[in-house]
């Protein structure tokens, strides 16, 4: 997936090497760079987050070693008006995305690549510059398997393949 260039060293909220953690009600608004950067997560839940009008991605999840992450659950959160992707999720673990809203972002609404198991349910995405939902099944040799997409709505996405 070709995504918007990003600066990884600037984030309003940085959570690194967290294991068995829930991040509740995080807010990152009007910042330079990424709203929320989650690095090397191990069984992390993000819920009720609001990531608005940042110059980079709303949320980005990274791994220092492929497959280092555990289960990442993101639910009941909004990423809107960001300069990059609403949610950029290149990881090889298990990913559950439920009831997210991604609107008016400068990249994809949600960009997912390499997840070992993926559930994407009940997510409205609209008016993002690129596709509302972009799923790339291979990230350095890791196919997306056991994928469920349910109730996800994509509207007014402007991205297309040239």
């Amino acid at each position: 997936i070709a995504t918007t260039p990003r600066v990884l060293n600037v984030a309003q909220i940085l959570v690194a090497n967290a294991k068995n953690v829930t991040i509740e009600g995080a807010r990152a608004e009007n910042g330079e760079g990424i709203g929320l950067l989650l690095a090397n997560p191990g069984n992390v839940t993000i819920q009720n987050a609001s990531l608005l009008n940042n110059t980079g991605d709303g949320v980005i999840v990274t791994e220092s070693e492929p497959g280092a992450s555990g289960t990442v659950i993101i639910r009941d959160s909004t990423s809107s008006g960001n300069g990059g992707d609403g949610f950029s999720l290149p990881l090889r673990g298990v990913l559950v995305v439920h009831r997210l809203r991604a609107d008016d972002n400068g990249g994809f609404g949600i960009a997912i690549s390499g997840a070992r198991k993926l559930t994407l349910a009940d997510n409205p995405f609209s008016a993002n510059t690129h596709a509302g939902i972009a799923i790339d099944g291979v990230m350095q040799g890791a196919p997306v398997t056991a994928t469920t997409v349910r109730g996800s709505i994509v509207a007014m996405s402007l991205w297309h393949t040239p």
Side-chain angles (χ1 to χ4, degrees), residues 20-21 41-45 68-73 91 93-96 116:
N20 304 315
V21 171
N43 301 324
V44 173
T45 298
S69 65
T71 298
V72 175
I73 300 169
L91 68 139
V94 175
L95 178 61
V96 178
R116 185 174 66 247

Side-chain angles (χ1 to χ4, degrees), residues 102 107-111 125-126 128-134 153-155 157-159:
F108 296 102
I110 186 168
F125 302 118
S126 65
N128 296 290
T129 301
H130 299 317
I133 302 171
I153 299 168
V154 180
S157 294
L158 305 175
W159 186 76

Side-chain angles (χ1 to χ4, degrees), residues 10 28 58 67 80 90 93 100 112 122 152:
V10 178
S80 181
L100 300 186
I112 300 168
D122 304 318
S152 295

Side-chain angles (χ1 to χ4, degrees), residues 11 13 29 32 34 44 86-87 103 112 132 141 150 157 162:
I13 301 169
E29 299 179 11
E32 292 292 321
I34 300 162
V44 173
F87 298 89
D103 303 312
I112 300 168
R150 180 186 74 238
S157 294

